[in-house]
């Protein structure tokens, strides 16, 4: 069982988590919700032992596994690892296979003197393989790869050749292969297409272990959890609700409606009592006791009047164009791209005119990000030509936030775009909910949604006339 007691966390003067306590029992599935920046990812990292806390304790089950929402920056992958090695490393099966193979070679070349010892070690290595599920490990791995729709990915492929979305899926497959007693998942559906997300929901529904998951996918929160933990961005405390996300909306909505009705009734009663008090005051000393009693009742109602929760703030986005581009913004002529013998796309031809909107759709791994990067000249083409129109000013949002310097502060990152106008920079950051001391926060400490907001704020400051967006809503909460 996961047990969290009295957690505290602050970033400088900014309070993030205040006296957070909760449990996740064996087999229980809890959804951790809240707006971007409330502290959900920080809480999950503390639970996983990857981030320091200011106070409190965490008690974990014997086995657990954690998936970061920022796999590209936070999941170490050795350069020469194959997909098979990466998945098997979750349980130590990869090392057990190496040990078994080394012993097999040593036995083949052994002399009679050390053969009994080698055979004893060989028996232990065989037992380890069986205990770790070696004999059906490839089949289980391929089932996970197929379920998560990692099209074209084989167990022998090198991990570093995968796209950002494929790496995230592979990290998830590795964790599911491990099958720990507790899964800690931070937005696992971010890079999944509809079919793969549906498969994951079914998998999590039937998963026998416990689950603590951060997600903005409302379907997942309705299908795969039985408890909601809401991190309140104003009080910095945790609110617990039984049932699915829909149950939470009903309960919290009913509670809010009751508070609003109670407040309205008390305000009407206060207004009535104030009129009575004014009338009694007109009688002078003869009604003083009655007036004092009425005034005490008014004070009591004022104190007990429900305080309605604050509404979560929303970002305000528009992209002002400083200089309009020419009528023809971009033309692509017979584009082709391949990696070795694998063809990604070929013979792609299109034009984009000023004011047009174009969307690129396709399964994960089909080459959508590669196509965008070739259009921008980041990835070289094997054939064809891209021509930009006159006065085109580009704004590019990369799905792995590669345009952000994680060592920088929010303010310094934004000022680098418009150093001559600090006032406008602070104003735009405020519209993207970076106010007060938050602008001095280091980018590496931001949540995925906050990083996305910062990347979009930088684009607004740059004033582009051509937006190229690679999954810009991936990390954003429902309101954003």
């Amino acid at each position: 069982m996961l047990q969290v007691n009295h957690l505290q966390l602050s970033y400088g003067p900014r309070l993030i988590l205040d006296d957070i306590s909760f449990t996740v029992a064996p087999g229980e599935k809890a959804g951790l919700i809240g707006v971007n920046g409330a502290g959900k990812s920080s809480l999950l990292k503390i639970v996983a032992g990857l981030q320091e806390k200011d106070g409190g304790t965490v008690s974990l089950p014997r086995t657990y596994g954690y998936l970061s929402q920022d796999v590209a920056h936070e999941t170490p992958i050795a350069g020469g690892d194959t997909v098979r090695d990466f998945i098997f490393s979750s349980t130590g099966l990869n090392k057990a296979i190496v040990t078994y193979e080394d012993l097999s070679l040593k036995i083949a070349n052994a002399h009679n003197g050390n053969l009994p010892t080698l055979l004893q070690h060989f028996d232990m290595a065989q037992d380890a393989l069986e205990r770790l599920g070696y004999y059906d490990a490839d089949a289980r791995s391929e089932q996970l790869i197929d379920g998560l729709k990692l099209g074209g990915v084989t167990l022998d492929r090198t991990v570093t050749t995968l796209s950002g979305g494929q790496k995230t899926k592979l990290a998830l497959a590795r964790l599911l292969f491990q099958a720990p007693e507790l899964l800690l998942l931070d937005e696992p559906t971010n890079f999944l297409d509809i079919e793969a997300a549906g498969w994951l929901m079914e998998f999590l529904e039937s998963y026998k272990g416990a689950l603590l998951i951060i997600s903005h996918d409302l379907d997942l929160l309705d299908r795969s959890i039985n408890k909601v933990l809401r991190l309140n961005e104003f009080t910095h405390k945790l609110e617990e609700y039984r049932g699915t996300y829909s149950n939470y909306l009903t309960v919290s909505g009913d509670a809010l409606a009751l508070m609003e009705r109670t407040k309205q009734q008390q305000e009407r009663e206060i207004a009535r009592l104030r009129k009575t008090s004014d009338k009694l005051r007109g009688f002078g000393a003869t009604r003083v006791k009655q007036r004092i009693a009425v005034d005490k009742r008014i004070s009591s109602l004022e104190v007990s009047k429900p305080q309605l929760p604050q509404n979560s703030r929303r970002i305000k986005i528009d992209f002002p164009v400083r200089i309009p581009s020419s009528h023809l913004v971009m033309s692509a002529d017979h584009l082709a791209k391949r990696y070795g013998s694998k063809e990604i796309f070929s013979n792609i031809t299109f034009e984009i005119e000023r004011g047009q909107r174009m969307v690129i759709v396709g399964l994960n791994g089909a080459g959508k990000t590669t196509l965008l990067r070739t259009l921008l000249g980041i990835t070289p083409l094997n054939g064809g030509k891209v021509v930009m129109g006159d006065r085109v000013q580009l704004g590019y949002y990369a799905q792995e936030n590669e345009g952000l310097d994680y060592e920088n502060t929010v303010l310094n990152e934004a000022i680098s775009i418009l150093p001559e106008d600090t006032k406008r920079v602070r104003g735009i950051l405020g519209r993207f909910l970076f106010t007060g001391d938050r602008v001095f926060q280091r980018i590496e400490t931001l949540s995925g949604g906050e990083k996305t907001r910062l990347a979009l704020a930088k684009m607004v400051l740059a004033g582009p006339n051509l937006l190229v967006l690679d999954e810009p809503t991936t990390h954003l909460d429902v309101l954003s």
Side-chain angles (χ1 to χ4, degrees):
M1 179 172 75
L2 169 65
Q3 189 158 358
V4 175
N5 293 309
H6 309 297
L7 281 191
Q8 293 284 145
L9 177 68
S10 296
Y11 291 136
R14 182 184 164 209
L15 181 63
I16 305 297
L17 305 174
D18 184 22
D19 196 26
I20 300 295
S21 297
F22 66 94
T23 61
V24 180
E28 193 171 37
K29 298 178 171 69
L32 181 57
I33 67 170
V35 300
N36 290 139
K40 303 184 300 297
S41 292
S42 295
L43 176 54
L44 207 64
K45 286 179 182 177
I46 289 171
V47 170
L50 300 174
Q51 182 172 331
E52 292 295 322
K53 57 190 180 297
D54 296 332
T57 61
V58 175
S59 175
L60 287 156
R62 185 177 56 86
T63 59
Y64 64 92
Y66 166 74
L67 178 75
S68 165
Q69 64 171 252
D70 196 0
V71 168
H73 292 98
E74 295 181 9
T75 302
I77 299 173
D81 270 1
T82 64
V83 168
R84 178 185 285 104
D85 291 334
F86 183 65
I87 291 176
F88 287 5
S89 67
S90 67
T91 61
L93 178 57
N94 57 329
K95 291 181 180 178
I97 292 172
V98 170
T99 299
Y100 175 83
E101 291 173 346
D102 286 347
L103 285 168
S104 297
L105 286 173
K106 287 178 180 177
I107 288 171
N109 299 311
H111 301 293
N112 290 336
N114 59 354
L115 187 59
T117 301
L118 287 173
L119 288 172
Q120 184 181 5
H121 289 162
F122 185 76
D123 286 340
M124 293 169 62
Q126 278 187 314
D127 289 342
L129 290 182
E130 189 165 347
R131 186 178 70 256
L132 293 170
Y134 167 74
Y135 298 103
D136 66 347
D138 275 8
R140 286 191 291 128
S141 299
E142 287 169 347
Q143 185 180 31
L144 292 169
I145 287 172
D146 182 61
L148 292 172
K149 305 304 171 190
L150 267 160
V153 175
T154 65
L155 293 177
D156 296 316
R157 186 165 167 180
T158 304
V159 173
T160 52
T161 65
L162 303 181
S163 69
Q166 288 174 319
K167 286 176 185 174
T168 300
K169 285 184 171 185
L170 181 60
L172 179 56
R174 178 181 184 271
L175 190 54
L176 300 182
F177 179 87
Q178 180 190 352
E181 294 171 65
L182 171 65
L183 283 173
L184 303 168
L185 305 181
D186 195 347
E187 301 191 34
T189 60
N190 274 354
F191 292 98
L192 301 185
D193 53 39
I194 294 172
E195 195 173 351
W199 178 89
L200 178 63
M201 289 177 206
E202 290 181 6
F203 184 95
L204 294 177
E205 276 184 88
S206 59
Y207 189 69
K208 297 204 180 336
L211 171 68
L212 178 58
I213 184 170
I214 298 172
S215 181
H216 301 301
D217 187 322
L218 303 187
D219 288 334
L220 184 150
L221 292 173
D222 260 347
R223 287 182 54 182
S224 305
I225 66 168
N226 48 39
K227 180 164 77 172
V228 171
L229 302 172
R230 177 179 178 256
L231 196 53
N232 188 309
E233 74 269 32
F234 301 112
T235 65
H236 312 291
K237 295 184 182 294
L238 206 63
E239 303 162 0
E240 185 170 323
Y241 302 84
R242 307 303 304 182
T244 66
Y245 185 76
S246 289
N247 297 139
Y248 151 73
L249 289 178
T250 301
V251 171
S252 61
D254 289 347
L256 179 60
L258 177 60
M259 288 172 69
E260 288 174 341
R261 286 197 303 273
T262 303
K263 184 178 181 181
Q264 289 170 1
Q265 289 168 357
Q266 287 184 272
E267 285 174 344
R268 285 197 297 268
E269 180 65 4
I270 289 168
R272 186 187 70 79
L273 289 173
R274 280 184 176 147
K275 287 181 181 178
T276 302
S277 179
D278 290 340
K279 286 180 182 178
L280 291 171
R281 190 173 280 108
F283 289 101
T286 59
R287 299 288 183 91
V288 170
K289 285 186 178 180
Q290 285 178 275
R291 183 170 58 79
I292 290 174
V294 170
D295 288 345
K296 283 183 178 179
R297 175 62 179 155
I298 291 171
S299 297
S300 175
L301 287 172
E302 287 283 10
V303 170
S304 65
K305 192 163 59 176
Q307 296 298 311
L308 298 181
Q310 293 174 266
N311 291 323
S312 298
R313 296 173 63 204
R314 299 170 183 255
I315 60 175
K316 300 173 183 176
I317 304 180
D318 61 42
F319 291 96
V321 175
R322 295 181 184 174
I323 303 171
S325 69
S326 58
H327 180 70
L328 181 62
V329 176
M330 176 193 292
S331 66
D333 184 34
H334 295 92
L335 306 186
K337 179 62 184 175
R338 64 180 179 275
Y339 289 112
S341 60
K342 180 176 174 57
E343 183 178 73
I344 307 301
F345 54 78
S346 64
N347 199 30
I348 291 181
T349 299
F350 63 88
E351 290 183 346
I352 300 177
E353 297 178 353
R354 188 175 62 235
Q356 283 187 323
R357 271 80 168 145
M358 176 180 287
V359 60
I360 300 174
V361 299
L363 297 175
N364 284 121
K368 304 185 296 297
T369 296
T370 302
L371 175 57
L372 284 186
R373 293 172 68 88
T374 58
L375 293 174
L376 304 179
I378 299 171
T379 299
L381 286 160
N382 295 112
K385 182 173 65 172
V386 177
V387 178
M388 291 289 184
D390 292 335
R391 303 183 304 281
V392 170
Q393 296 183 347
L394 181 69
Y396 173 49
Y397 174 84
Q399 65 172 263
E400 293 186 21
N401 290 313
E402 56 198 53
L404 297 178
D405 180 356
Y406 277 41
E407 299 297 316
N408 227 341
T409 65
V410 170
L411 183 58
N412 287 341
E413 185 77 7
I415 283 178
S416 68
I417 303 299
L418 200 64
E420 70 277 9
D421 194 347
T422 305
K423 184 177 179 181
R424 174 166 167 76
V425 170
R426 291 296 296 261
I428 294 298
L429 287 176
R431 287 167 57 187
F432 284 84
L433 310 186
F434 294 108
T435 57
D437 291 334
R438 289 195 175 198
V439 300
F440 303 113
Q441 195 170 333
R442 283 164 62 93
I443 292 171
E444 65 181 354
T445 67
L446 299 179
S447 70
E450 288 174 311
K451 288 171 187 162
T452 296
R453 294 205 311 258
L454 178 57
L456 293 174
K458 287 176 63 178
M459 291 176 64
V460 170
L461 288 167
N465 53 34
L466 171 60
L467 296 177
V468 180
L469 309 177
D470 193 351
E471 303 197 34
T473 63
T474 292
H475 294 291
L476 295 178
D477 57 36
V478 177
L479 285 177
S480 298

